[in-house]
Amino acid sequence: MASSDLFANYEQDFTSITESIKEKLERQIPNQKGEERKATIRAIEREIDEADEILGQMEMEILNIPTPSRTRLQAKLRLYKSEAEKLKRDLRRTTAIVPKNSDREELLGGIGSSDDLQNDYDASTMDQRQRLLSGTERLGQSSRRLEDSHRLALETEGIGINILSTLKGQRETLIRARDTLTEADSHIDKASKTLKGMARRMATNKLITAAIIIILIALIVLVIWSKLF
């Protein structure tokens, strides 16, 4: 698959995730409270991490795209990064706002039992552990992509060296062929001169032979004439 196609796929994934985040921020969280609200916030945080990972993948793919298209895609990437930062600010602003219903329930219901606090702590710990594992996995994926890019660069360099070597060999072959043609042309010139010389000698010999024949005929005629008269 071409790098431009991969970039387009990442764009679709990023758009889908940002739409999901906006949906949660604008429609779900304002109507939620308590654990439901916390769960939605954690889901948004995971989606933001995933969006950051996609942006990193897009940035890596841009390096493999030809220069004429790279500038346009870099501008789009900057817009996507700005959008991701805005979503992060919106999340921080949303989490800083405590719903009024939650305040009233906290005043009426008290702080809560130690079991509830322990459950909240365990849930938070598990969520942090999950996010850490997810981050480690994404880091491993990024490392593998870097290794693949490095291997691709080495393979490309090897192909380039082979092409240069082939071109050098072809150049040497062409030079030898040119020298051979030059030498052959020289031999042809010499042969042409030799043939022309032979042709001149043959023409001269023909003239001499014709002259001798004419002289002989004339002598024969004279002999016959002298005998008859």
Side-chain angles (χ1 to χ4, degrees):
M1 182 180 293
S3 296
S4 57
D5 295 335
L6 286 174
F7 189 89
N9 291 337
Y10 289 142
E11 282 186 294
Q12 294 177 359
D13 294 340
F14 180 81
T15 301
S16 176
I17 290 175
T18 53
E19 290 297 328
S20 176
I21 294 173
K22 291 176 183 177
E23 170 72 18
K24 292 181 176 66
L25 286 172
E26 296 173 1
R27 298 186 180 182
Q28 295 183 18
I29 288 183
N31 299 320
Q32 293 175 341
K33 57 186 178 180
E35 289 301 322
E36 184 181 14
R37 188 171 186 270
K38 292 179 182 179
T40 303
I41 291 174
R42 288 194 294 269
I44 293 175
E45 290 174 345
R46 287 192 293 270
E47 287 180 328
I48 287 178
D49 290 339
E50 187 175 352
D52 287 338
E53 173 65 19
I54 292 175
L55 290 175
Q57 293 171 347
M58 293 167 71
E59 192 167 6
M60 291 178 60
E61 288 301 326
I62 286 178
L63 299 177
N64 299 324
I65 294 176
T67 303
S69 301
R70 188 180 301 171
T71 303
R72 176 177 56 84
L73 296 180
Q74 285 175 338
K76 295 179 70 174
L77 180 60
R78 285 193 293 270
L79 291 176
Y80 293 146
K81 287 183 177 180
S82 298
E83 184 176 359
E85 290 299 323
K86 181 180 181 300
L87 292 174
K88 292 176 184 178
R89 290 194 298 270
D90 292 343
L91 177 62
R92 288 194 294 268
R93 185 168 55 251
T94 300
T95 54
I97 299 174
V98 180
K100 294 181 179 180
N101 291 336
S102 177
D103 290 341
R104 184 167 59 251
E105 289 176 359
E106 185 175 351
L107 290 173
L108 294 175
I111 297 176
S113 65
S114 60
D115 291 339
D116 292 337
L117 293 176
Q118 182 63 35
N119 290 335
D120 290 343
Y121 175 77
D122 292 341
S124 177
T125 302
M126 289 296 295
D127 183 63
Q128 290 178 358
R129 183 173 180 273
Q130 183 64 32
R131 291 179 62 185
L132 179 61
L133 292 174
S134 178
T136 303
E137 182 180 357
R138 286 195 294 270
L139 181 61
Q141 292 175 353
S142 299
S143 298
R144 287 192 294 272
R145 291 191 185 92
L146 287 174
E147 291 175 358
D148 292 340
S149 299
H150 181 64
R151 184 173 63 254
L152 179 61
L154 291 177
E155 292 175 355
T156 304
E157 182 181 3
I159 293 173
I161 292 174
N162 291 334
I163 292 174
L164 289 176
S165 178
T166 302
L167 291 175
K168 182 180 179 181
Q170 292 178 351
R171 179 175 179 273
E172 293 175 352
T173 301
L174 290 174
I175 291 174
R176 288 195 296 270
R178 184 192 64 185
D179 294 339
T180 302
L181 289 174
T182 302
E183 185 177 357
D185 187 57
S186 175
H187 291 319
I188 290 172
D189 289 339
K190 291 179 180 179
S192 177
K193 292 178 181 179
T194 302
L195 290 174
K196 288 179 180 179
M198 292 175 64
R200 285 195 296 270
R201 285 194 294 272
M202 289 178 64
T204 302
N205 291 335
K206 286 181 180 179
L207 290 175
I208 293 172
T209 302
I212 292 172
I213 291 172
I214 292 172
I215 292 171
L216 289 174
I217 292 173
L219 290 174
I220 292 171
V221 170
L222 288 174
V223 170
I224 294 172
W225 177 267
S226 62
K227 287 184 178 182
L228 292 176
F229 300 99

